[in-house]
Amino acid sequence: EKRQWLSDRLTEGHVFRKLNEKATVFIEYAPLETAWVPVVGDNYDYLYCLWVDSDHKGKGYGKALMEYCLSDARENGKSGVCMLGAEKQKAWLSDQSFAKRFGFEPVDSTNSGYQLLAHSFDGTTPRFAQNAKKERIESDALTIYYDMQCPYILKNIEMVQQQCDAIGVAASFIRVDSLQKAKELPCVFNNWAVFYKGEFVTVNLLNAASLKRILNQ
């Protein structure tokens, strides 16, 4: 699923660059106009993910990948690069303290504490789409919006469904399968977003403990 999603995106300018060995060391970004996120702006790249697994940290790979992304954006005449962050670091988002060392800074925020970080080359800034700041839906059921960009998503859906079935809680999974749907989402989104009792909760993938905490709210 991940490979197919990625293959479909490459013709849109999407970049997936990784270490040439069997390791989770990669960067993934795309032109903001075709990035599957409710963020708007002119001539920016959107950085979905920069990930270096623990066995490969301290070797300069993260720095090299970030520098490549910024250099690529400059060479292609972009106005800058942006990414999703938060007032408090989220487990499934790129390390924002690392990004800030490369000139990223908050340029927009939501009431739930999420931030849009940007490294601007020309003084312009992107912003969250207005619909992303709504952070409410009509349904009270546990509702998860997702796309197939991340290979962990299907297993997470299976776990959430099994846990909800076991305790008799209704769960709804809404697949975001087009750019338009992604741009129109009622919350921030990096490939996953959770609502409960009509309120936006998190962009983090869930485990059994975090799911229980949400359902007990």
Side-chain angles (χ1 to χ4, degrees):
E1 290 277 7
K2 163 70 177 183
R3 291 191 188 100
Q4 185 60 56
W5 189 94
L6 181 59
S7 177
D8 292 341
R9 303 285 77 74
L10 291 178
T11 58
E12 302 167 355
H14 192 101
V15 174
F16 183 83
R17 184 175 178 84
K18 73 179 293 293
L19 187 65
N20 189 26
E21 64 175 86
K22 190 175 181 180
T24 311
V25 181
F26 70 92
I27 194 167
E28 191 166 357
Y29 59 93
L32 184 55
E33 292 80 2
T34 56
W36 284 33
V37 290
V39 177
V40 294
D42 293 327
N43 201 35
Y44 263 73
D45 277 341
Y46 179 83
L47 199 169
Y48 286 103
C49 190
L50 170 57
W51 191 331
V52 178
D53 64 25
S54 57
D55 292 339
H56 291 77
K57 288 184 177 179
K59 300 179 180 179
Y61 294 135
K63 180 175 183 288
L65 289 170
M66 180 65 86
E67 288 178 344
Y68 179 89
C69 173
L70 294 172
S71 176
D72 188 34
R74 287 185 184 277
E75 289 176 5
N76 284 288
K78 296 293 184 178
S79 293
V81 179
C82 61
M83 60 182 280
L84 183 61
E87 293 175 5
K88 182 179 179 181
Q89 178 67 45
K90 305 295 183 181
W92 287 88
L93 294 180
S94 298
D95 186 343
Q96 59 200 38
S97 63
F98 177 79
K100 287 176 180 178
R101 299 205 298 267
F102 290 85
F104 285 80
E105 58 184 12
V107 295
D108 200 1
S109 62
T110 69
N111 289 334
S112 58
Y114 285 88
Q115 297 177 331
L116 183 64
L117 307 179
H119 179 136
S120 177
F121 303 152
D122 61 8
T124 64
T125 55
R127 65 189 186 281
F128 289 124
Q130 193 59 40
N131 46 278
K133 295 187 176 185
K134 182 180 178 182
E135 300 187 313
R136 283 196 57 83
I137 59 175
E138 295 299 321
S139 175
D140 283 339
L142 179 73
T143 302
I144 295 175
Y145 293 87
Y146 71 96
D147 66 27
M148 296 312 305
Q149 183 180 7
C150 175
Y152 290 100
I153 284 175
L154 279 181
K155 287 185 179 295
N156 213 245
I157 289 173
E158 291 173 1
M159 182 280 293
V160 172
Q161 186 68 74
Q162 290 171 0
Q163 294 286 329
C164 288
D165 287 347
I167 59 177
V169 171
S172 175
F173 301 92
I174 301 175
R175 183 164 178 166
V176 179
D177 55 8
S178 73
L179 176 63
Q180 180 179 352
K181 289 180 181 179
K183 293 294 187 186
E184 294 176 352
L185 284 167
C187 62
V188 297
F189 182 77
N190 211 47
N191 55 46
W192 177 270
V194 180
F195 283 80
Y196 187 53
K197 296 182 179 178
E199 299 284 345
F200 171 65
V201 180
T202 184
V203 297
N204 282 359
L205 270 70
L206 306 176
N207 56 33
S210 60
L211 175 60
K212 183 178 180 180
R213 285 196 298 270
I214 291 169
L215 295 178
N216 285 338
Q217 289 178 0

